[in-house]
Amino acid sequence: MRTDRKSFIAGLGAAGILSLGLYVAVPAVADSPSPSPTAKPSEKGEDRPFRDGPRRVRPGLHGPGEHGFGLGGGRGVHGEATVRDGDGFRLVAFQRGEITALSSTTLTVKSADGTSWTWTANGDTKIREDRKDVALKDLAKSDEVRIAGERSGDTRTAKLIRVRD
């Protein structure tokens, strides 16, 4: 079977765009300006949704106040990507939208396109509002949030929740 040159170049271009989007979006979701010098890295990064290190922000890829949640300069509303983690793989997910339901351990978020996902929060979930840590109980229905975490089966576990300023 012969692969024509245009198909090969189109596939290579699509892979490059996806890689660039993941390079910008996934590591940039952490809100801390720099890693803590006393933080211990976990074994094989099992409890870290994203790699440590400073955020890489490329000029022109983010609008004012955007920090890389979603592809296309912060306009992405939800998505998932399979990423390599040591010898294995994991599925990272993000969502931007409005809280429609809230309990002591879960929140349901509805994106602008109508997609609703329920996220589980646990003791490892970092929740930020106005650059300060807050608790899940401090959130309310109709809050605009950005969430990043991992999906395993039908369960999405939030690693970072940011209340939109």
Coordinates of all heavy atoms in Angstrom, one line a residue, residues 71-125:
L71 N -7.2 24.0 24.7 CA -6.4 24.3 23.6 C -7.0 25.6 22.9 O -8.1 26.0 23.2 CB -6.5 23.2 22.6 CG -6.0 21.8 23.1 CD1 -6.2 20.7 22.1 CD2 -4.6 21.9 23.5
G72 N -6.3 26.2 22.0 CA -6.7 27.4 21.3 C -6.8 28.6 22.2 O -7.7 29.4 22.1
G73 N -5.7 28.9 22.9 CA -5.6 30.1 23.7 C -6.6 30.1 24.8 O -7.1 31.2 25.2
G74 N -7.0 29.0 25.4 CA -7.9 29.0 26.6 C -9.3 28.9 26.2 O -10.2 29.1 27.0
R75 N -9.7 28.6 24.9 CA -11.1 28.5 24.5 C -11.6 27.1 24.6 O -12.8 26.9 24.4 CB -11.2 29.1 23.1 CG -11.0 30.6 23.0 CD -11.2 31.1 21.6 NE -10.4 30.4 20.7 CZ -9.3 31.0 20.1 NH1 -9.0 32.2 20.3 NH2 -8.6 30.3 19.2
G76 N -10.8 26.1 24.9 CA -11.3 24.8 25.0 C -12.2 24.6 26.2 O -12.1 25.2 27.2
V77 N -13.3 23.9 26.0 CA -14.3 23.7 27.1 C -14.2 22.4 27.8 O -14.5 22.3 29.0 CB -15.8 23.9 26.6 CG1 -16.0 25.4 26.2 CG2 -16.1 23.0 25.4
H78 N -13.7 21.3 27.1 CA -13.5 20.1 27.8 C -12.6 19.2 26.9 O -12.7 19.4 25.6 CB -14.8 19.3 28.2 CG -15.7 19.0 27.1 ND1 -15.6 17.9 26.3 CD2 -16.7 19.7 26.6 CE1 -16.5 17.9 25.4 NE2 -17.2 19.0 25.5
G79 N -11.9 18.3 27.4 CA -11.1 17.4 26.6 C -10.4 16.4 27.4 O -10.3 16.4 28.7
E80 N -9.8 15.4 26.7 CA -9.0 14.3 27.4 C -7.8 14.0 26.5 O -7.9 14.2 25.3 CB -9.8 13.1 27.6 CG -11.0 13.2 28.5 CD -11.8 12.0 28.6 OE1 -11.8 11.1 27.7 OE2 -12.4 11.8 29.7
A81 N -6.7 13.5 27.1 CA -5.5 13.1 26.4 C -4.9 12.0 27.1 O -4.8 12.0 28.3 CB -4.6 14.3 26.2
T82 N -4.4 11.0 26.4 CA -3.6 9.9 26.9 C -2.1 10.4 26.9 O -1.6 10.8 25.9 CB -3.8 8.7 26.1 OG1 -5.1 8.3 26.1 CG2 -3.0 7.5 26.7
V83 N -1.5 10.3 28.1 CA -0.1 10.8 28.2 C 0.7 9.6 28.8 O 0.2 8.8 29.6 CB 0.0 12.0 29.1 CG1 -0.7 13.2 28.5 CG2 -0.5 11.8 30.5
R84 N 2.0 9.6 28.4 CA 2.9 8.6 28.9 C 3.3 9.0 30.3 O 3.6 10.2 30.6 CB 4.1 8.5 28.0 CG 5.1 7.4 28.4 CD 6.3 7.3 27.5 NE 5.9 6.9 26.2 CZ 5.8 5.7 25.7 NH1 6.0 4.7 26.6 NH2 5.4 5.4 24.5
D85 N 3.4 8.0 31.2 CA 3.8 8.3 32.6 C 4.8 7.2 33.0 O 4.3 6.1 33.3 CB 2.6 8.3 33.5 CG 2.9 8.6 35.0 OD1 4.0 9.2 35.2 OD2 2.1 8.4 35.8
G86 N 6.1 7.4 32.8 CA 7.1 6.4 33.1 C 6.9 5.3 32.1 O 7.0 5.5 30.9
D87 N 6.6 4.1 32.6 CA 6.5 2.9 31.7 C 5.0 2.7 31.3 O 4.7 1.9 30.4 CB 6.9 1.6 32.4 CG 8.4 1.6 32.6 OD1 9.1 2.3 31.8 OD2 8.9 1.0 33.5
G88 N 4.1 3.5 31.8 CA 2.7 3.3 31.5 C 2.1 4.6 30.9 O 2.7 5.5 30.4
F89 N 0.7 4.6 30.9 CA 0.0 5.7 30.4 C -1.1 6.0 31.3 O -1.5 5.2 32.2 CB -0.7 5.3 29.0 CG 0.4 4.9 28.0 CD1 0.8 3.6 27.8 CD2 0.9 5.9 27.2 CE1 1.7 3.3 26.9 CE2 1.8 5.6 26.2 CZ 2.3 4.3 26.1
R90 N -1.6 7.3 31.2 CA -2.8 7.7 32.0 C -3.6 8.7 31.2 O -3.1 9.3 30.2 CB -2.4 8.3 33.4 CG -1.5 9.5 33.3 CD -0.9 9.8 34.7 NE 0.2 10.7 34.5 CZ 0.2 12.0 34.9 NH1 -0.9 12.4 35.5 NH2 1.2 12.7 34.7
L91 N -4.8 8.8 31.5 CA -5.7 9.7 30.8 C -6.0 10.9 31.6 O -6.5 10.9 32.7 CB -7.1 8.9 30.6 CG -8.0 9.6 29.6 CD1 -7.5 9.7 28.2 CD2 -9.3 8.7 29.5
V92 N -5.5 12.1 31.1 CA -5.8 13.4 31.8 C -6.9 14.0 31.1 O -7.2 13.8 29.9 CB -4.5 14.3 31.7 CG1 -3.4 13.7 32.5 CG2 -4.1 14.6 30.3
A93 N -7.7 14.8 31.9 CA -8.9 15.5 31.4 C -9.0 16.9 31.9 O -8.4 17.2 33.0 CB -10.1 14.7 31.8
F94 N -9.7 17.7 31.2 CA -9.9 19.1 31.7 C -11.3 19.5 31.3 O -11.9 18.9 30.4 CB -8.9 20.1 31.1 CG -9.2 20.5 29.7 CD1 -9.9 21.6 29.4 CD2 -8.7 19.7 28.6 CE1 -10.2 21.9 28.1 CE2 -8.9 20.1 27.3 CZ -9.7 21.2 27.0
Q95 N -11.9 20.4 32.0 CA -13.2 21.0 31.7 C -13.3 22.4 32.3 O -12.8 22.7 33.3 CB -14.3 20.1 32.3 CG -15.7 20.5 31.9 CD -16.8 19.6 32.5 OE1 -16.6 18.9 33.5 NE2 -17.9 19.7 31.9
R96 N -14.1 23.2 31.5 CA -14.4 24.5 31.9 C -15.9 24.7 31.8 O -16.5 24.2 30.9 CB -13.7 25.5 30.9 CG -14.2 26.9 31.0 CD -13.9 27.7 29.7 NE -12.5 27.7 29.4 CZ -11.7 28.7 29.5 NH1 -12.2 29.9 29.8 NH2 -10.4 28.6 29.2
G97 N -16.5 25.2 32.9 CA -17.9 25.4 32.9 C -18.5 25.8 34.2 O -17.8 26.3 35.1
E98 N -19.8 25.6 34.3 CA -20.5 26.1 35.5 C -20.9 24.9 36.4 O -21.3 23.8 35.9 CB -21.8 26.8 35.1 CG -22.7 27.3 36.2 CD -23.9 28.0 35.6 OE1 -23.8 28.8 34.7 OE2 -25.0 27.6 36.1
I99 N -20.7 25.0 37.7 CA -21.1 24.0 38.6 C -22.7 23.9 38.6 O -23.4 24.9 38.9 CB -20.6 24.3 40.1 CG1 -19.1 24.3 40.1 CG2 -21.2 23.2 41.0 CD1 -18.5 24.6 41.4
T100 N -23.2 22.7 38.4 CA -24.7 22.5 38.4 C -25.1 21.7 39.6 O -26.3 21.7 39.9 CB -25.1 21.8 37.1 OG1 -24.5 20.6 36.9 CG2 -24.9 22.7 35.9
A101 N -24.2 20.9 40.2 CA -24.5 20.1 41.4 C -23.3 20.0 42.2 O -22.1 19.9 41.7 CB -25.0 18.7 41.0
L102 N -23.5 19.9 43.5 CA -22.3 19.9 44.4 C -22.7 19.1 45.7 O -23.8 19.2 46.2 CB -22.0 21.3 44.9 CG -20.8 21.7 45.6 CD1 -19.6 21.4 44.7 CD2 -20.8 23.2 45.8
S103 N -21.7 18.2 46.1 CA -21.9 17.4 47.3 C -20.6 17.6 48.1 O -19.7 18.3 47.7 CB -22.2 16.0 47.0 OG -21.0 15.3 46.6
S104 N -20.4 16.8 49.2 CA -19.2 16.9 50.0 C -18.0 16.3 49.3 O -16.9 16.6 49.6 CB -19.4 16.2 51.3 OG -19.7 14.8 51.1
T105 N -18.2 15.5 48.2 CA -17.1 14.9 47.6 C -17.1 15.0 46.0 O -16.2 14.6 45.4 CB -16.9 13.4 47.9 OG1 -18.1 12.7 47.6 CG2 -16.6 13.2 49.4
T106 N -18.2 15.4 45.5 CA -18.3 15.5 44.0 C -18.9 16.9 43.6 O -19.6 17.6 44.4 CB -19.2 14.4 43.4 OG1 -20.6 14.6 43.9 CG2 -18.7 13.0 43.8
L107 N -18.6 17.2 42.3 CA -19.2 18.3 41.7 C -19.5 18.0 40.3 O -18.7 17.3 39.6 CB -18.4 19.6 41.8 CG -17.1 19.7 41.2 CD1 -16.7 21.2 40.9 CD2 -16.0 19.1 42.1
T108 N -20.6 18.5 39.8 CA -21.0 18.3 38.4 C -20.8 19.6 37.7 O -21.3 20.6 38.2 CB -22.4 17.7 38.2 OG1 -22.5 16.5 38.9 CG2 -22.8 17.5 36.8
V109 N -20.1 19.6 36.6 CA -19.9 20.8 35.8 C -20.4 20.7 34.4 O -20.3 19.6 33.8 CB -18.3 21.1 35.7 CG1 -18.0 22.3 34.9 CG2 -17.8 21.3 37.1
K110 N -21.1 21.7 34.0 CA -21.7 21.7 32.6 C -20.9 22.7 31.8 O -20.9 23.9 32.1 CB -23.2 22.1 32.7 CG -23.9 22.0 31.3 CD -25.4 22.2 31.5 CE -26.1 22.1 30.1 NZ -27.5 22.3 30.3
S111 N -20.4 22.3 30.7 CA -19.7 23.2 29.8 C -20.6 23.9 28.8 O -21.8 23.6 28.7 CB -18.7 22.3 28.9 OG -17.7 21.7 29.7
A112 N -20.1 24.9 28.2 CA -20.9 25.8 27.3 C -21.6 25.0 26.2 O -22.6 25.4 25.7 CB -20.0 26.9 26.7
D113 N -21.0 23.9 25.8 CA -21.6 23.1 24.7 C -22.6 22.1 25.2 O -23.1 21.3 24.4 CB -20.5 22.3 23.9 CG -19.8 21.3 24.7 OD1 -19.9 21.2 25.9 OD2 -19.1 20.4 24.1
G114 N -22.9 22.1 26.5 CA -23.9 21.2 27.1 C -23.3 19.9 27.7 O -24.1 19.2 28.3
T115 N -22.1 19.7 27.6 CA -21.5 18.5 28.2 C -21.4 18.6 29.7 O -20.9 19.6 30.2 CB -20.1 18.2 27.6 OG1 -20.1 18.1 26.2 CG2 -19.4 17.0 28.2
S116 N -21.9 17.6 30.4 CA -21.9 17.6 31.9 C -21.0 16.4 32.3 O -21.3 15.3 31.9 CB -23.3 17.4 32.5 OG -24.0 18.6 32.4
W117 N -20.0 16.7 33.1 CA -19.2 15.7 33.7 C -19.2 15.8 35.2 O -19.2 16.9 35.8 CB -17.7 15.8 33.3 CG -17.5 15.3 31.9 CD1 -18.3 14.7 31.0 CD2 -16.3 15.6 31.1 NE1 -17.7 14.5 29.8 CE2 -16.4 15.0 29.9 CE3 -15.1 16.2 31.4 CZ2 -15.5 15.1 28.9 CZ3 -14.1 16.3 30.4 CH2 -14.3 15.7 29.2
T118 N -19.3 14.7 35.9 CA -19.2 14.7 37.4 C -17.7 14.3 37.8 O -17.2 13.4 37.3 CB -20.2 13.7 38.0 OG1 -21.5 14.1 37.6 CG2 -20.0 13.6 39.5
W119 N -17.2 15.2 38.7 CA -15.8 15.0 39.1 C -15.8 14.7 40.6 O -16.6 15.2 41.4 CB -15.1 16.4 38.9 CG -14.8 16.8 37.5 CD1 -15.8 17.4 36.7 CD2 -13.7 16.6 36.7 NE1 -15.2 17.6 35.5 CE2 -13.9 17.1 35.5 CE3 -12.4 16.0 37.0 CZ2 -13.0 17.1 34.5 CZ3 -11.5 16.1 36.0 CH2 -11.7 16.6 34.8
T120 N -14.9 13.8 41.0 CA -14.7 13.5 42.4 C -13.5 14.3 43.0 O -12.5 14.4 42.3 CB -14.4 12.0 42.6 OG1 -15.5 11.2 42.0 CG2 -14.2 11.6 44.0
A121 N -13.7 14.9 44.1 CA -12.6 15.6 44.8 C -12.2 14.8 46.0 O -13.0 14.1 46.7 CB -13.1 17.0 45.2
N122 N -10.9 14.8 46.3 CA -10.4 14.1 47.5 C -9.4 15.0 48.2 O -9.3 16.2 47.9 CB -9.8 12.7 47.1 CG -8.7 12.9 46.1 OD1 -8.0 13.8 46.1 ND2 -8.6 11.9 45.2
G123 N -8.7 14.4 49.2 CA -7.7 15.2 49.9 C -6.6 15.8 49.1 O -5.9 16.7 49.5
D124 N -6.3 15.2 48.0 CA -5.3 15.6 47.1 C -5.7 16.7 46.1 O -4.9 17.3 45.4 CB -4.7 14.5 46.3 CG -4.0 13.4 47.2 OD1 -3.5 13.8 48.2 OD2 -4.0 12.2 46.9
T125 N -7.0 17.0 46.1 CA -7.5 18.0 45.1 C -7.1 19.4 45.6 O -7.4 19.7 46.8 CB -9.0 17.9 45.0 OG1 -9.3 16.6 44.6 CG2 -9.6 18.9 44.0

